[in-house]
Amino acid sequence: MDIVSLLQLIVSSSLVYAAPLIFTALGGTFSERSGVVNIGLEGIMVMGAFMSAIFNLSFYSTFGAMTPWLGLLAGGVIGILFSLIHAVATINLRADHIVSGTVINLAAPALAVFLTRAIYGAAQTGPLARSFGFSDIFLLEKIPVIGPIFFQNTSGPAYLGILVAIIAWVVLFKTRFGLRLRSVGEHPHAAETLGINVYLMKYSGVMISGFLGGIGGAIQAQAIHNEFGILTVAGQGFIAMAAMIFGKWNPLGAMGAAIFFGFAQSLARIGNYIPIIQDIPGVWLQVLPYLLTIIILVGVVGRSTAPKDLGNTFIRSK
Amino acid sequence: MAQTERVIEMKGITKRFGEFKANDNINLNVEKGEIHALLGENGAGKSTLMNILSGLLEPTSGEIYVNGKKAKIDSPEKANQLGIGMVHQHFMLVDKFTVAENIMLGKEKHNYGFMDDEGAEKDVKDLSDRYGLTVDPSARIEDISVGMQQRAEILKTLFRGADILIFDEPTGVLTPQEIDELMDIMKKLTDEGKSIILITHKLDEIKKVADRCTVIRRGQSIDTVNVKNTSQQELADMMVGRSVSFKVDKIASVPQGPVLEIKNLTVKESRGLEAVKNIDLEVKAGEVLGIAGIDGNGQSELIQAITGLTKAESGTIKLDGKDITGEKPREVTETGLGHIPEDRHRHGLVLPMKLEENMTLQQYYQKPFSKNGLLNHGKIKEFAKKLIEEFDVRTQSEESTAASLSGGNQQKAIIAREISRNPALLIAAQPTRGLDVGAIEYIHKRLIEQRDNGKAVLLMSYELDEVMNVSDRIAVMYDGKIVAIVRADETSENELGLLMAGVSLEKAKKELAGKDIKAGTAGAAGAAGNAENDGKERATVANDETE
Ligand SMILES: Nc1ncnc2c1ncn2[C@@H]1O[C@H](COP(=O)(O)OP(=O)(O)OP(=O)(O)O)[C@@H](O)[C@H]1O
Ligand SMILES: [Mg+2]
């Protein structure tokens, strides 16, 4: 393989694996910036993946090539619905965030597999009607050298994710909504005295995380596994949360970390083509992303700065 | 006298927390353009009353009139609309946001939802210039001094068009110079026609700026008086309901052998700068040694090193003959140390836990509070009840959370816990911060009692009065060093002021002998002023640590 093809392979497969992580990590960022820990993202991804698979199989005949993209919306919507459970539990009922998130993580796969069985008579949906496949990015593909490496035959959803990350950064740090959302995650009582609706802000944060997490799951099903089954998501939600922390609760940081994790995951697939790591046993490369996640969580969490009021229940004084 | 206008009238306000009445039929009226002081013991219900006025709490019964119109203040926003703004006892600021963002939050300057940072900063600048409240609009809260944080809080209320400003114990966290500035600001605000409600425990502040004063005792309004015609003694007696003595009664001390011996101690603060520089210090059994100095001259770091909360860089610390350098806090505590910490929320209490649990925090693992690894709740409760009674901690019960106590009563709970263990050395850092005069009198008495029982007491305070009244000897700290040790009965406020500003003892003596007392005071104040600026920067650093 020549060097350009090799680089193209590395970049595109990294991006394919990064795409679900980018969306979900961005979702986590919104939720945590509003002060709500959302480890339920794993379960939300499962629901997103499940919903998009059903949508994909059911509506391919209607929407054709657009189906996977519309499947993202289907995943996002179910993600919002599921995140509402988390919002009600943590914001109104004052449940512990971790406990509520764990409930979602336990319930979602069970429910999704149960429904899959009910609908398709098996634990998996079987191959989807249309997956994302690889696409060229409009115009950018034409740039010499850079074009072939980065923008040809690559992951469309990943580039959408990068765009969303930039938008998320602008929303969080440059808009009134973002300022209010962050204030609620830092000092909800101060926000309350200034007439900010703390509950509304927290709901917004959690629902945005549900939407983006659902999309993350939908990408996982439609771009990587090309089906839905119990193993479709398998820990990606947790890796996305690690990316969010590694990225210091900043959308651009989370995106960068997600791409890094995507790269780590892709090594197991493409390691054989890369000269230096060719001889490392495949098992090691498969374990690598999880190992990195643990190392990063242990090494970085202590030092990076989470929102100050993260994980606490806000109780209005009265 | 011109016709006065009532801006606030609170009638028969009652607020219950469960069975407990924090406010019991309180009446308060505030006139336009006045500074109205609220005076009352710790837990009397002042903060509760003001939280009702600012929409954070709903009264159980009672009526509020604002500018003559009946008002239902059911949210802070509503209070804003009525022109009421509050500067809270614990600041309501987002540390990571800039000053401008904090001020604008909720009423942001924006274009189609996008923040207009430059416009916001300019508006804040204009507002701060107009009232002489100097702030740096683009600085982050976590990077600025406590005084500037407070100015940001004030601007926040002014920006919302507040005409009635409530200050809840605003001076507790300020340096003397900052307090003077605040007093000027308050006067200026009332000159502009604003009205101010001021909660403070410091009677001299009331005398200095307030026009009228309403006294609250155990949830009831006792009286409203004209400050001009009322002496500090009268105010104090009215508030406590008995006669209070400001002077500390004590007999001459009989110091014995050393309890605390510090040699060549050097301590670094979090940024790696030396905060304590090669200090030698000795505290003897049967004496109170006071540490005087302007905030940020190494006092906090010195205490943290003795208590084991930070590691000493070099040098040795001996307690009761045992080398405790580098030992863990529990070892040090068991060797015979009691510690009333400067930051009560961070080092003193576990706020969400019950009062009884907090009161046995140092001893819960020992008999009789625990046996074979199991807690004996009966004994814990009994012990807590005894301390609550003895130290007059005002609480609903020993099972209330520490968080539900008023600020002053939290402090009393810590003091009760530490004194009750009867330690060989008691370190009291700012022990009376936020306490009412009655409680201060009591705490001072207990400190002296410790001394008379042959224990050693190390008292650190920024209040010269306190240091001079309670201590036998006074060590003055400046720039991380002990610049002088003087006898409390042989020194004067002026001399201490000069020493605290870094003037050497001989020079200070010469200066005070040479000039008449008036001139000396001016010199000391000027010098202390400079040192304060100098100290303030370091104080900010220390604050970062505590946040
Ligand atoms: N949320 C609450 N729940 C139960 N009791 C409370 C609550 N808030 C205050 N209290 C009680 O009400 C009483 C009055 O408290 P408040 O904070 O108003 O006192 P304060 O006059 O401001 O005292 P300090 O000078 O010490 O600040 C105290 O006994 C306190 O324990
Ligand atoms: Mg109070």
Side-chain angles (χ1 to χ4, degrees):
Chain A
M1 230 182 335
D2 66 281
I3 183 82
V4 171
S5 320
L6 181 64
L7 285 177
Q8 198 229 355
L9 178 68
I10 294 175
V11 170
S12 72
S13 63
S14 297
L15 287 178
V16 166
Y17 284 96
L21 299 177
I22 296 175
F23 279 93
T24 310
L26 291 175
T29 305
F30 274 96
S31 176
E32 300 223 336
R33 280 286 183 175
S34 78
V36 181
V37 180
N38 193 356
I39 63 160
L41 280 171
E42 171 80 11
I44 287 170
M45 278 185 88
V46 172
M47 289 316 291
F50 164 73
M51 199 63 202
S52 71
I54 293 188
F55 181 88
N56 194 300
L57 288 165
S58 314
F59 290 101
Y60 178 59
S61 51
T62 325
F63 297 116
M66 284 304 290
T67 312
W69 294 99
L70 292 170
L72 296 187
L73 282 180
V77 169
I78 193 81
I80 294 180
L81 290 178
F82 247 68
S83 71
L84 276 173
I85 301 175
H86 190 57
V88 172
T90 56
I91 300 169
N92 299 98
L93 305 179
R94 301 176 187 174
D96 184 276
H97 299 194
I98 305 290
V99 172
S100 166
T102 306
V103 168
I104 289 175
N105 288 344
L106 292 175
L111 179 67
V113 172
F114 171 78
L115 291 175
T116 308
R117 262 189 200 288
I119 301 171
Y120 299 99
Q124 302 85 29
T125 57
L128 300 185
R130 168 137 195 152
S131 79
F132 275 109
F134 293 85
S135 34
D136 297 340
I137 306 297
F138 183 64
L139 282 183
L140 294 175
E141 64 183 292
K142 304 228 164 66
I143 306 172
V145 190
I146 308 259
I149 295 176
F150 289 97
F151 302 115
Q152 284 177 16
N153 245 338
T154 189
S155 163
Y159 280 97
L160 181 64
I162 291 170
L163 186 68
V164 172
I166 294 167
I167 294 171
W169 183 83
V170 172
V171 169
L172 266 185
F173 295 109
K174 295 289 161 200
T175 69
R176 182 174 62 160
F177 170 77
L179 187 77
R180 292 181 173 192
L181 187 89
R182 286 184 289 132
S183 76
V184 161
E186 294 285 336
H187 197 331
H189 289 283
E192 189 199 11
T193 57
L194 300 179
I196 288 171
N197 188 334
V198 176
Y199 290 141
L200 180 69
M201 282 298 132
K202 285 184 182 268
Y203 262 89
S204 312
V206 175
M207 285 166 71
I208 292 173
S209 86
F211 183 64
L212 295 174
I215 291 179
I219 296 172
Q220 187 76 18
Q222 299 181 103
I224 297 175
H225 285 255
N226 199 30
E227 67 164 4
F228 174 77
I230 189 73
L231 291 176
T232 304
V233 173
Q236 296 297 311
F238 292 111
I239 296 182
M241 297 209 54
M244 164 195 80
I245 293 169
F246 196 21
K248 299 200 162 160
W249 288 268
N250 180 320
L252 298 180
M255 174 194 82
I259 292 175
F260 173 72
F261 278 122
F263 167 70
Q265 294 202 42
S266 71
L267 283 183
R269 292 294 168 90
I270 59 168
N272 285 340
Y273 303 101
I274 304 176
I276 321 158
I277 60 171
Q278 247 157 6
D279 303 324
I280 300 176
V283 175
W284 284 106
L285 293 179
Q286 277 170 10
V287 170
L288 184 70
Y290 302 95
L291 210 62
L292 279 176
T293 307
I294 292 172
I295 292 171
I296 283 168
L297 284 183
V298 171
V300 176
V301 170
R303 271 169 292 141
S304 70
T305 42
K308 207 166 192 173
D309 199 59
L310 182 61
N312 292 335
T313 304
F314 172 73
I315 301 173
R316 283 199 71 179
S317 38
K318 272 288 135 167
Chain B
M1 207 173 147
Q3 180 71 28
T4 50
E5 210 182 305
R6 270 191 191 169
V7 287
I8 293 283
E9 191 164 6
M10 297 179 88
K11 277 190 185 163
I13 300 288
T14 296
K15 174 70 187 175
R16 283 172 184 275
F17 292 110
E19 274 304 290
F20 177 79
K21 279 188 192 163
N23 286 172
D24 184 2
N25 198 17
I26 290 189
N27 297 310
L28 172 73
N29 57 67
V30 180
E31 279 158 16
K32 189 172 165 65
E34 78 165 336
I35 298 182
H36 193 114
L38 262 191
L39 180 66
E41 288 178 283
N42 298 122
K46 306 175 296 290
S47 296
T48 305
L49 187 69
M50 290 303 108
N51 283 335
I52 289 172
L53 188 56
S54 63
L56 276 174
L57 291 172
E58 246 161 344
T60 314
S61 63
E63 291 175 344
I64 302 173
Y65 295 82
V66 180
N67 295 319
K69 276 201 223 70
K70 189 168 171 179
K72 187 170 177 343
I73 310 177
D74 50 11
S75 71
E77 219 182 342
K78 189 72 188 285
N80 281 338
Q81 286 163 9
L82 291 167
I84 301 170
M86 178 152 171
V87 177
H88 293 266
Q89 197 166 359
H90 303 280
F91 296 156
M92 294 279 192
L93 294 167
V94 180
D95 283 352
K96 280 186 203 152
F97 286 10
T98 65
V99 170
E101 283 170 339
N102 267 287
I103 291 172
M104 296 270 168
L105 189 61
K107 278 187 101 179
E108 301 85 351
K109 206 173 166 101
H110 65 102
N111 304 314
Y112 309 103
F114 289 92
M115 296 292 294
D116 175 8
D117 286 338
E118 269 152 48
E121 280 166 21
K122 196 181 159 295
D123 284 5
V124 168
K125 189 94 192 40
D126 291 347
L127 193 69
S128 93
D129 288 347
R130 189 174 143 211
Y131 289 101
L133 290 156
T134 327
V135 292
D136 173 1
S138 60
R140 284 181 189 225
I141 296 296
E142 58 191 3
D143 297 331
I144 62 178
S145 71
V146 180
M148 195 184 280
Q149 290 179 6
Q150 189 174 59
R151 292 194 287 275
E153 277 275 41
I154 300 171
L155 283 171
K156 216 160 88 175
T157 63
L158 294 174
F159 175 71
R160 285 170 171 70
D163 290 318
I164 302 147
L165 284 88
I166 305 167
F167 289 85
D168 193 351
E169 290 189 41
T171 57
V173 291
L174 300 184
T175 64
Q177 194 198 12
E178 285 171 334
I179 292 176
D180 288 343
E181 281 169 19
L182 178 67
M183 300 279 144
D184 289 343
I185 289 166
M186 289 204 265
K187 287 244 173 78
K188 204 161 158 193
L189 289 171
T190 48
D191 288 346
E192 290 228 356
K194 312 231 180 243
S195 318
I196 291 179
I197 302 178
L198 168 69
I199 300 180
T200 178
H201 289 297
K202 297 182 188 159
L203 299 171
D204 56 326
E205 289 171 7
I206 295 181
K207 283 299 277 184
K208 217 185 276 172
V209 291
D211 301 299
R212 293 191 304 153
C213 175
T214 293
V215 180
I216 296 177
R217 195 194 308 151
R218 296 190 181 244
Q220 291 174 321
S221 39
I222 301 299
D223 200 1
T224 299
V225 295
N226 262 324
V227 171
K228 239 191 265 148
N229 315 330
T230 318
S231 72
Q232 293 195 23
Q233 187 68 50
E234 282 167 327
L235 285 173
D237 296 352
M238 211 184 320
M239 159 184 133
V240 184
R242 64 176 164 85
S243 172
V244 182
S245 131
F246 289 106
K247 256 288 176 244
V248 182
D249 289 326
K250 59 176 185 185
I251 47 168
S253 66
V254 198
Q256 288 137 12
V259 172
L260 178 72
E261 296 163 90
I262 297 177
K263 289 234 159 64
N264 304 325
L265 181 72
T266 296
V267 187
K268 287 190 172 168
E269 39 96 310
S270 58
R271 290 206 193 162
L273 300 172
E274 283 186 4
V276 175
K277 301 173 181 165
N278 201 19
I279 276 186
D280 289 332
L281 187 68
E282 206 177 80
V283 188
K284 298 193 181 75
E287 77 163 348
V288 179
L289 180 90
I291 296 185
I294 295 157
D295 188 4
N297 277 291
Q299 302 98 310
S300 307
E301 288 82 3
L302 171 65
I303 286 173
Q304 285 182 359
I306 302 172
T307 52
L309 289 169
T310 31
K311 279 228 152 43
E313 194 61 25
S314 61
T316 57
I317 307 170
K318 271 191 189 168
L319 178 59
D320 237 358
K322 189 183 158 200
D323 188 351
I324 55 161
T325 325
E327 293 283 10
K328 295 202 178 72
R330 182 179 277 192
E331 303 286 330
V332 180
T333 305
E334 287 179 347
T335 309
L337 176 83
H339 179 206
I340 300 163
E342 195 177 353
D343 182 341
R344 59 180 167 238
H345 286 176
R346 188 163 177 220
H347 295 301
L349 294 167
V350 186
L351 288 174
M353 275 168 49
K354 291 178 190 165
L355 184 55
E356 57 184 23
E357 292 166 327
N358 271 291
M359 283 185 151
T360 44
L361 266 190
Q362 306 275 31
Q363 291 165 291
Y364 67 90
Y365 56 91
Q366 294 166 340
K367 277 183 181 167
F369 303 117
S370 133
K371 216 169 150 188
N372 307 325
L374 294 177
L375 292 176
N376 183 340
H377 285 286
K379 286 273 187 274
I380 290 178
K381 195 174 284 292
E382 199 179 294
F383 178 73
K385 276 186 167 156
K386 199 185 105 212
L387 290 190
I388 288 170
E389 167 89 32
E390 190 182 335
F391 286 81
D392 189 24
V393 181
R394 306 265 167 93
T395 174
Q396 289 174 51
S397 91
E398 66 284 353
E399 293 189 19
S400 310
T401 60
S404 77
L405 263 62
S406 79
N409 280 295
Q410 292 176 348
Q411 183 74 350
K412 283 205 233 169
I414 299 172
I415 292 173
R417 177 181 74 210
E418 299 301 325
I419 290 189
S420 70
R421 291 187 301 114
N422 206 13
L425 171 69
L426 178 67
I427 296 184
Q430 293 268 72
T432 57
R433 176 153 73 181
L435 292 193
D436 64 64
V437 287
I440 291 176
E441 179 194 17
Y442 180 71
I443 299 305
H444 285 170
K445 225 161 63 195
R446 295 299 303 239
L447 293 179
I448 300 287
E449 220 171 275
Q450 279 300 105
R451 176 200 83 164
D452 291 345
N453 290 338
K455 307 292 178 190
V457 178
L458 182 66
L459 168 72
M460 189 277 272
S461 174
Y462 303 127
E463 313 250 347
L464 273 188
D465 277 351
E466 176 162 57
V467 177
M468 289 179 59
N469 277 331
V470 182
S471 320
D472 301 308
R473 290 191 302 149
I474 300 171
V476 183
M477 279 190 83
Y478 174 76
D479 191 25
K481 290 185 276 249
I482 290 178
V483 289
I485 297 186
V486 294
R487 291 192 52 87
D489 48 14
E490 286 171 4
T491 188
S492 64
E493 210 160 305
N494 295 332
E495 186 176 271
L496 286 176
L498 284 171
L499 292 171
M500 282 160 62
V503 179
S504 74
L505 187 57
E506 298 99 79
K507 254 205 191 145
K509 285 220 186 299
K510 229 186 267 167
E511 189 162 330
L512 289 174
K515 294 172 191 169
D516 65 313
I517 294 176
K518 266 240 156 68
T521 319
N530 288 339
E532 258 152 32
N533 280 335
D534 193 328
K536 214 165 17 177
E537 271 180 45
R538 263 172 280 132
T540 323
V541 175
N543 263 329
D544 280 349
E545 243 180 289
T546 30
E547 280 314 312

